[in-house]
Amino acid sequence: MRRLQLETRTELMAPASKVFDFVSDHTNAPRWQSGIDEVRRITPGPIGVGTEHELTRRFAGMKVTARNRFIAYDPGRFVAFEIPSGRMTGVASYLVEPTGPDTCRLVSTVDFQVTGLARYAVPLLTVIFKRDDKKALATLKILMEHS
């Protein structure tokens, strides 16, 4: 087993509440994260701790279906979710911090454990994650600042 850990920060010219509402609703992920084909909420009710999603994504040439579950939720500010099974398991989160009345900072973290043969590719997977994250944040910036 090897760990893949990343943290990215981006400044957005959009209200924190708008950014949080968008990124914490994982059904929006295909709109801003390349490689994610579909996200479906599989639990009823409002978003919060216990909310689960099933997602299909393309990553490093593979099509992967996974589930995630919200393990922390502070409305308007913070959401953390776990991916409990698969070749990559672990926790990711979004923290949205207001920096002004209509500006904010998004802090995105990933802390995954990689098992099986994929563990040997963690350096390459890290490069791919960073590249994909950079594109996703650029798309998010456009969606949040120009809508």
Side-chain angles (χ1 to χ4, degrees), residues 92-120:
S93 67
Y94 300 121
L95 170 66
V96 180
E97 303 171 310
T99 55
D102 291 317
T103 60
C104 65
R105 175 181 307 111
L106 172 65
V107 181
S108 173
T109 62
V110 171
D111 185 0
F112 290 153
Q113 293 77 44
V114 183
T115 60
L117 291 176
R119 74 183 181 277
Y120 298 111

Side-chain angles (χ1 to χ4, degrees), residues 2-4 83 88-92 110-114 129:
R2 292 187 67 188
R3 289 178 79 178
L4 188 156
I83 298 171
M88 283 196 287
T89 60
V91 176
V110 171
D111 185 0
F112 290 153
Q113 293 77 44
V114 183
F129 257 86

Side-chain angles (χ1 to χ4, degrees), residues 23-45:
V23 300
S24 68
D25 181 350
H26 285 195
T27 62
N28 287 323
R31 294 178 58 197
W32 65 285
Q33 296 182 29
S34 64
I36 296 183
D37 296 325
E38 179 184 6
V39 177
R40 183 174 59 87
R41 188 171 301 132
I42 56 177
T43 52

